[in-house]
């Protein structure tokens, strides 16, 4: 198996498990030099900071995907706790507003090791009708663009977005602003419930910085081999 050693892996494996043991088994089969890990609400609510610590002790960078959305003081406190936990990336909803995002950034700026602070613009599960129902005007893309600019202006490091939004955002925001994209499927992987998908190589070619990939790796018979296949696609 060809191994592409990297200290800055682009692939973030989504640990979407109901139980801790398959997640811990999986991470023993992966390699922190080759991928980072995303821990979301399900596993964090069940297994908490101890679970995250188990992963960081194994050398993995953690994207704590809790999508904070609350008053500025509370979100700042959540971000501070995430920084103390030693996570690599944390996220907040841009719809929480400029003051909330600035409070989050200021809290992280004071931390010894500063996690990347990422915004969620419009959830990709929301279409035109959904955003109208919550009182937003314009198209989902208009709102994504506006909220990404607001997030950049508030000092965030990037946003999570659909691969289909990357090209548009790359024309709008600065080159350093990170774009993190789920909805990634290599040509050889099952689509599952994802519909608007992009291959890893296409997502990177469009300008994505980090790829959130779950089942193509976690459900593979050999997860490390699946990761290597994706790395080779990215390299070649
Ligand atoms: O298994 P799969 O590759 O589809 O997993 C994608 C991960 O990215 C999941 O954790 C999912 O919740 C997350 N995600 C997504 N689409 C979004 C935001 C997050 O698929 N718009």
């Amino acid at each position: 198996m060809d191994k592409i050693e990297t200290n800055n892996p682009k692939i973030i494996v989504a640990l979407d498990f109901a139980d801790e043991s398959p997640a811990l088994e999986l991470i023993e089969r992966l390699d922190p030099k080759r991928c980072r890990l995303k821990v979301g609400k399900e596993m964090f609510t069940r297994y908490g900071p101890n679970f995250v610590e188990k992963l960081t002790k194994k050398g993995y960078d953690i994207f704590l995907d809790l999508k904070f959305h609350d008053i500025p003081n509370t979100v700042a406190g959540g971000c501070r706790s995430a920084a103390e936990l030693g996570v690599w990336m944390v996220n907040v909803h841009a719809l929480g507003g400029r003051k909330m995002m600035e409070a989050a950034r200021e809290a992280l700026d004071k931390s010894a090791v500063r996690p990347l602070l990422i915004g969620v613009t419009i959830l990709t599960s929301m279409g035109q009708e959904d955003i109208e129902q919550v009182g937003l005007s314009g198209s989902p893309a208009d709102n994504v663009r506006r909220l990404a600019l607001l997030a950049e202006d508030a000092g965030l490091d990037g946003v999570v977005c659909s691969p289909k939004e990357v090209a548009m955002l790359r024309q709008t925001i600065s080159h350093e602003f990170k774009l993190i994209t789920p909805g990634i499927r290599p040509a050889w992987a099952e689509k599952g419930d994802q519909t608007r998908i992009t291959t890893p190589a296409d997502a990177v070619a469009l300008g994505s910085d980090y790829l959130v990939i779950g089942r193509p790796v976690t459900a593979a018979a050999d997860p490390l081999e699946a990761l290597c296949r994706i790395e080779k696609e990215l390299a070649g």
Side-chain angles (χ1 to χ4, degrees), residues 17-77:
F17 293 96
D19 290 313
E20 191 181 31
S21 36
L24 294 177
E25 273 168 36
L26 175 77
I27 65 144
E28 291 299 336
R29 302 177 70 188
L30 294 175
D31 178 350
K33 291 197 198 74
R34 328 284 294 276
C35 66
R36 294 171 155 117
L37 302 173
K38 179 171 88 71
V39 175
K41 289 187 177 81
E42 182 176 8
M43 293 213 78
F44 191 77
T45 303
R46 200 177 290 267
Y47 298 108
N50 284 346
F51 176 63
V52 172
E53 274 163 10
K54 282 182 193 169
L55 308 177
T56 51
K57 275 191 187 141
K58 294 276 178 193
Y60 286 97
D61 283 344
I62 305 303
F63 171 15
L64 189 63
D65 181 19
L66 298 182
K67 299 185 181 71
F68 293 134
H69 189 173
D70 210 313
I71 59 170
N73 187 54
T74 302
V75 168

Side-chain angles (χ1 to χ4, degrees), residues 2 48 77 83 85 112 142 157 162 175 181 187 218:
D2 288 347
L85 193 51
D142 294 336
D157 300 300
S162 150
H175 185 70
T181 52
T218 59

Side-chain angles (χ1 to χ4, degrees), residues 14-16 38 65 67 122-125 160-162 181-185 191 193-194 212-216 218:
L15 279 186
D16 292 322
K38 179 171 88 71
D65 181 19
K67 299 185 181 71
I122 299 292
L123 294 167
T124 52
S125 54
V160 182
C161 64
S162 150
T181 52
I184 304 293
R185 284 293 177 274
K191 287 195 181 85
D193 53 4
Q194 296 278 16
V212 176
I213 306 181
R215 288 158 292 179
T218 59

Side-chain angles (χ1 to χ4, degrees), residues 95-164:
L95 280 167
R98 175 191 288 278
K99 285 186 198 140
M100 190 208 77
M101 289 191 277
E102 285 177 348
R105 178 182 46 79
E106 282 160 19
L108 292 184
D109 283 345
K110 288 181 198 135
S111 65
V113 181
R114 186 189 181 287
L116 289 172
L117 178 60
I118 300 301
V120 176
T121 56
I122 299 292
L123 294 167
T124 52
S125 54
M126 295 185 85
Q128 186 70 46
E129 196 185 333
D130 302 295
I131 66 166
E132 280 169 16
Q133 278 170 357
V134 296
L136 296 173
S137 56
S139 66
D142 294 336
N143 282 278
V144 167
R145 190 186 301 108
R146 182 172 44 76
L147 289 166
L149 279 169
L150 184 66
E152 187 178 35
D153 214 37
L156 268 61
D157 300 300
V159 288
V160 182
C161 64
S162 150
K164 310 287 179 194

